Amino acid sequence: MEDTVARFERMAFGMFIHFGLYSLVGKGEWHLKLNGWQDREQYRRLTEKFRVKKNWAKEVAAVAKKAGCRYITLTTRHHDGFSLYDTCGLSEYDAVHALCGRDLIAEFVEACRKYDLVPVFYHTFADWDREEYESDFPAYLQYLQASVKLLCTRYGEIGGIWFDGMFEKPDADWQEDKLYAMIRAYQPRAIIVNNSGLTAQGKLRHPEIDCVTFERGKPFLTNWQDRHRAAEMCQVLNEHWGYAKMDIHYKTIGELLGNFIECRKFGCNFLLNTGLKGDGSVNEMDRGIFEGIGKWIARYNKIIYSLKPAKIDCDGGDVFTDGSRYYVLIRDVGMDADPNVTLHGKCKRVQIKGAQPIRTAKWFDTKESIEVEENSFLVKPYWYGESMCVRVAQIWF
Ligand code: GLC
């Protein structure tokens, strides 16, 4: 398992996609539950409008690739019970029976292969639609197991399965042993994730889990006695996972890059979400943010995936190493030019503590030398014409 986990960690940055019938409504992925059960039939009828455009998967994969993502985690089935994959007769509530009439997971996997991105399948344990979920739990578990088997056997090698939704019945026996053993048998290189949710950040819920989660959270260092495990923070661009037309509460690119650095400080992956629109397209706002992040990642892509925390104390920045070289990542770098056009005049100071003396230092982007005194230096702001939020200094001890 070690290699699989290490391979996952090296991917560092993934795109999370929430896509389903709820995308047509544009009020988030919990629409069915939060708008009352009386709407269930009406909700099901969304299948009649689920017309997904032909190249949806390639388009979103292209956005992920350009942003610097190395994998995509897509909701193959969310809590509303609707599957984007062909359930091969297990249920009629799937994409092949909807207006689009296609197996959207097959298209997704094909697009990932085209862009050299690793596909990861999100699948929920919960089901707000299936009768047996309430009336005959053992039968429901069989259905769930058979569903996951399809995902493990019909799409070639996958990067992992990302479970969610156990919070619905926290005391139930979900037969995780059986489910995870099946995944190991069919997909020995897939990582198994089970989201511990907002209230149990970084918690390991089962020994077979390869990666713990920090949902919208602040990652911290996890250290397991039995074996190495990865960690991943998932984050929303605004406030919803599923597409929400009226959610304008977006984070800035600077904040999101800050989240990414915070993740890497603890060796954690960053999984950044977009909620696709009902026809499978990426909404313009999300596309723009992913593009912005991509510009920053492109500038630093030679180092960004291999950085590990250097365990060196630093005020004003975070020190990373790729094993032989050292880098300081500095957030919230302003822009400074003429005082009549830019606001930022003040320079930030970085102070490295408790390390050997720095011999030389250079800005990674311009290769300019940095004047260092007693392991401290001033952060040069961006000059009029560009402002990239986070700047990287390379240092030599
Ligand atoms: C929560 C939500 C779910 C969402 C997930 C993503 O578990 O219930 O809707 O898909 O977080 O992390």
Side-chain angles (χ1 to χ4, degrees):
M1 280 323 298
E2 203 66 34
D3 274 347
T4 307
V5 172
R7 181 183 74 144
F8 178 70
E9 287 179 316
R10 275 195 305 276
M11 296 199 292
F13 180 33
M15 176 189 264
F16 204 177
I17 302 179
H18 278 69
F19 184 36
L21 295 180
Y22 48 80
S23 310
L24 286 165
V25 185
K27 291 187 173 181
E29 81 291 358
W30 273 54
H31 179 72
L32 169 62
K33 179 143 189 176
L34 299 181
N35 284 289
W37 294 108
Q38 70 275 20
D39 285 334
R40 199 143 141 188
E41 273 315 307
Q42 194 189 343
Y43 187 88
R44 267 184 159 258
R45 281 202 301 276
L46 288 169
T47 50
E48 294 161 20
K49 296 193 192 140
F50 198 47
R51 185 195 305 279
V52 178
K53 63 182 193 183
K54 197 164 156 261
N55 282 327
W56 73 281
K58 291 197 180 92
E59 278 178 31
V60 68
V63 173
K65 187 72 185 182
K66 207 166 159 207
C69 297
R70 294 204 158 162
Y71 63 104
I72 306 184
T73 305
L74 168 69
T75 51
T76 63
R77 181 190 295 162
H78 206 267
H79 313 331
D80 64 0
F82 178 75
S83 309
L84 296 187
Y85 54 96
D86 182 354
T87 57
C88 297
L90 290 177
S91 153
E92 296 212 333
Y93 200 36
D94 64 10
V96 285
H97 290 86
L99 181 62
C100 69
R102 286 134 48 206
D103 181 334
L104 300 178
I105 296 308
E107 295 177 7
F108 165 66
V109 170
E110 193 194 323
C112 286
R113 308 262 188 256
K114 176 174 153 80
Y115 286 96
D116 193 23
L117 292 159
V118 173
V120 175
F121 293 159
Y122 167 110
H123 202 283
T124 185
F125 275 85
D127 202 310
W128 298 334
D129 183 80
R130 192 100 182 153
E131 287 291 331
E132 304 130 38
Y133 183 60
E134 299 303 344
S135 62
D136 185 352
F137 199 57
Y140 173 72
L141 288 179
Q142 267 183 26
Y143 167 68
L144 179 65
Q145 176 100 8
S147 301
V148 175
K149 183 175 172 187
L150 292 173
L151 291 177
C152 290
T153 52
R154 300 195 71 236
Y155 304 97
E157 188 174 295
I158 56 171
I161 305 215
W162 204 105
F163 290 106
D164 190 24
M166 255 168 65
F167 58 84
E168 280 248 317
K169 293 183 194 280
D171 302 323
D173 175 8
W174 289 96
Q175 297 188 13
E176 280 172 274
D177 290 351
K178 198 172 152 204
L179 190 67
Y180 300 156
M182 179 185 71
I183 299 173
R184 296 278 188 244
Y186 291 118
Q187 292 278 347
R189 277 162 53 84
I191 61 150
I192 300 175
V193 187
N194 189 341
N195 184 20
S196 53
L198 288 167
T199 50
Q201 308 274 333
K203 194 175 166 210
L204 183 68
R205 13 178 23 141
H206 188 281
E208 280 302 313
I209 299 296
D210 302 308
C211 170
V212 293
T213 63
F214 293 92
E215 179 178 335
R216 305 187 196 207
K218 259 204 158 310
F220 50 78
L221 205 60
T222 50
N223 194 7
W224 311 105
Q225 300 299 315
D226 55 340
R227 67 176 166 108
H228 180 58
R229 285 187 181 85
E232 185 187 57
M233 170 190 177
C234 53
Q235 176 64 302
V236 267
L237 291 181
N238 47 13
E239 295 286 304
H240 291 82
W241 297 102
Y243 176 57
K245 268 184 225 159
M246 295 306 284
D247 182 354
I248 57 169
H249 200 166
Y250 273 87
K251 293 167 191 65
T252 65
I253 293 176
E255 278 174 81
L256 295 166
L257 286 174
N259 285 163
F260 181 48
I261 295 167
E262 205 57 32
C263 282
R264 296 320 272 170
K265 257 170 83 173
F266 302 107
C268 185
N269 283 24
F270 187 46
L271 185 64
L272 188 58
N273 183 69
T274 180
L276 297 187
K277 287 170 136 178
D279 65 351
S281 55
V282 185
N283 86 75
E284 288 312 311
M285 205 54 187
D286 295 18
R287 182 190 295 270
I289 294 179
F290 272 96
E291 258 177 35
I293 290 176
K295 285 184 186 168
W296 186 85
I297 294 212
R299 181 168 288 190
Y300 296 110
N301 76 357
K302 285 210 178 67
I303 56 170
I304 210 69
Y305 301 97
S306 50
L307 292 188
K308 294 217 167 358
K311 300 192 179 98
I312 295 176
D313 248 12
C314 176
D315 282 342
D318 296 296
V319 190
F320 289 86
T321 180
D322 60 5
S324 53
R325 287 169 287 238
Y326 289 86
Y327 303 92
V328 190
L329 271 62
I330 305 137
R331 301 180 223 183
D332 302 322
V333 174
M335 192 178 69
D336 192 20
D338 186 297
N340 290 307
V341 71
T342 46
L343 273 179
H344 299 270
K346 279 195 213 115
C347 292
K348 263 175 103 165
R349 181 167 280 283
V350 165
Q351 173 75 60
I352 306 225
K353 298 190 283 192
Q356 320 155 43
I358 298 175
R359 283 192 294 114
T360 32
K362 278 185 181 170
W363 292 112
F364 187 88
D365 47 5
T366 58
K367 309 289 172 234
E368 266 175 287
S369 328
I370 303 173
E371 217 175 290
V372 185
E373 213 177 297
E374 293 179 10
N375 275 10
S376 170
F377 59 88
L378 281 177
V379 179
K380 203 157 179 214
Y382 287 102
W383 192 250
Y384 207 75
E386 68 170 53
S387 193
M388 298 286 285
C389 308
V390 178
R391 204 160 185 201
V392 179
Q394 186 171 358
I395 53 176
W396 287 262
F397 290 111

